[in-house]
Amino acid sequence: MIGISIAGFDPSGGAGIISDMKTFSSLGIHGTGVITALTAQNPLKVFSLQPIATDYIEEQIDSIFDGYGKDISYGKTGMLYSEEIVKIVAKKIKEYDLKIVVDPVMVASAGDDLSKSEIAKSLKKYLLPHSLLVTPNIHEAELLSGIKIATENDAIAAAEKIGKICDVVITGGHLEGINTIDIDGKLDILKKDLIKTENTHGSGCTFSAAIVAFMVKNHDMMTSIKKSFDYVEIAIKHGRYGTLNPSYDILK
């Protein structure tokens, strides 16, 4: 069983490709990874970002599918950094008929005029229409929907708007644990108790990677989402640096 992550590299190991590989591994999935950007960061601060050339991103994807193509059906994206990267990733996803979960990490490059809102527009135009699911947090959902989210009703309105493009889970870590799910036009609210901890760095990466892992293991989308919320809860409770140790055998 194989999954793929197309995302940025966090050298602290808490988020990005490293987090995704830990999650895949702990759930019994062989992880393959395509790096879209290098970062210098730790859980407290991002120092700098360096995007990878689009032709090299394309070559990474092609090399993985050349070796494992027949065995990869599901994957996820993380930080895609620029419109050019969004477009090339969307192109390859369509080419390889990949079922994708989008973690819409939006980062503006230093000294560039590319804004987070423009990344949101690129995701909605090029990637989300070809995706299974998008998993924004409250702030990312505001950018994708254009709706300010302060209440549960706001989150519902945003989910319904985003849901017209693709299925969506708006995670509720910044909304009192209220998670808003819109699958095939059906709305669900899943409330989770918030945990008082600083071990949340990379929780969005872990959540989306877990969804992919559970779908690789033939669970349906809603079951995968619910299992992934449980997985992240345990990961946050037991992780020392914001992510679950891959040797922690849970929810197989």
Side-chain angles (χ1 to χ4, degrees):
M1 292 182 286
I2 304 177
I4 186 171
S5 172
I6 304 170
F9 176 76
D10 170 7
S12 76
I17 286 283
I18 294 179
S19 174
D20 294 340
M21 296 304 107
K22 288 180 180 178
T23 301
F24 285 161
S25 178
S26 69
L27 291 171
I29 301 300
H30 175 75
T32 60
V34 172
I35 295 177
T36 58
L38 302 173
T39 73
Q41 66 171 297
N42 58 46
L44 302 177
K45 181 180 179 181
V46 176
F47 292 82
S48 65
L49 299 116
Q50 181 65 51
I52 302 298
T54 54
D55 58 348
Y56 198 65
I57 292 171
E58 185 172 20
E59 186 174 6
Q60 290 179 74
I61 296 171
D62 288 338
S63 69
I64 290 170
F65 278 89
D66 179 69
Y68 300 102
K70 68 180 186 301
D71 298 315
I72 302 177
S73 297
Y74 293 94
K76 63 154 288 186
T77 63
M79 184 173 69
L80 299 182
Y81 191 83
S82 69
E83 179 175 322
E84 290 74 23
I85 293 176
V86 171
K87 288 170 72 174
I88 194 66
V89 169
K91 172 190 169 185
K92 303 309 287 187
I93 285 168
K94 288 186 286 184
E95 178 180 337
Y96 290 112
D97 194 26
L98 185 63
K99 301 177 183 70
I100 203 80
V101 174
V102 176
D103 178 11
V105 181
M106 300 178 201
V107 178
S109 57
D112 201 331
D113 61 0
L114 185 66
S115 71
K116 291 182 179 181
S117 61
E118 288 171 326
I119 286 288
K121 290 176 183 177
S122 298
L123 290 172
K124 289 191 291 183
K125 181 176 180 180
Y126 299 110
L127 188 57
L128 296 193
H130 309 289
S131 303
L132 280 182
L133 181 72
V134 61
T135 61
N137 61 28
I138 294 299
H139 304 303
E140 293 159 348
E142 289 178 337
L143 291 168
L144 290 172
S145 67
I147 295 171
K148 180 69 176 176
I149 301 173
T151 67
E152 180 178 330
N153 286 336
D154 295 336
I156 289 172
E160 289 176 338
K161 187 170 182 179
I162 298 168
K164 293 177 181 178
I165 307 173
C166 75
D167 290 343
V168 58
V169 178
I170 300 178
T171 57
H174 298 97
L175 193 65
E176 300 177 346
I178 298 169
N179 302 286
T180 310
I181 305 168
D182 189 319
I183 304 297
D184 294 329
K186 180 183 177 183
L187 198 72
D188 286 286
I189 301 296
L190 180 61
K191 180 75 164 62
K192 301 288 286 187
D193 292 332
L194 295 180
I195 302 168
K196 292 184 179 180
T197 179
E198 295 182 356
N199 292 335
T200 57
H201 180 58
S203 57
C205 304
T206 300
F207 177 62
S208 54
I211 292 172
V212 170
F214 285 120
M215 288 198 294
V216 169
K217 298 172 83 166
N218 295 319
H219 294 289
D220 62 42
M221 185 183 294
M222 184 58 77
T223 301
S224 297
I225 290 167
K226 290 180 178 178
K227 281 181 169 288
S228 296
F229 274 122
D230 292 340
Y231 180 90
V232 171
E233 182 177 5
I234 294 168
I236 291 173
K237 285 180 178 177
H238 295 277
R240 288 186 61 195
Y241 306 106
T243 55
L244 189 69
N245 187 297
S247 65
Y248 200 90
D249 187 10
I250 185 69
L251 295 175
K252 290 297 179 70

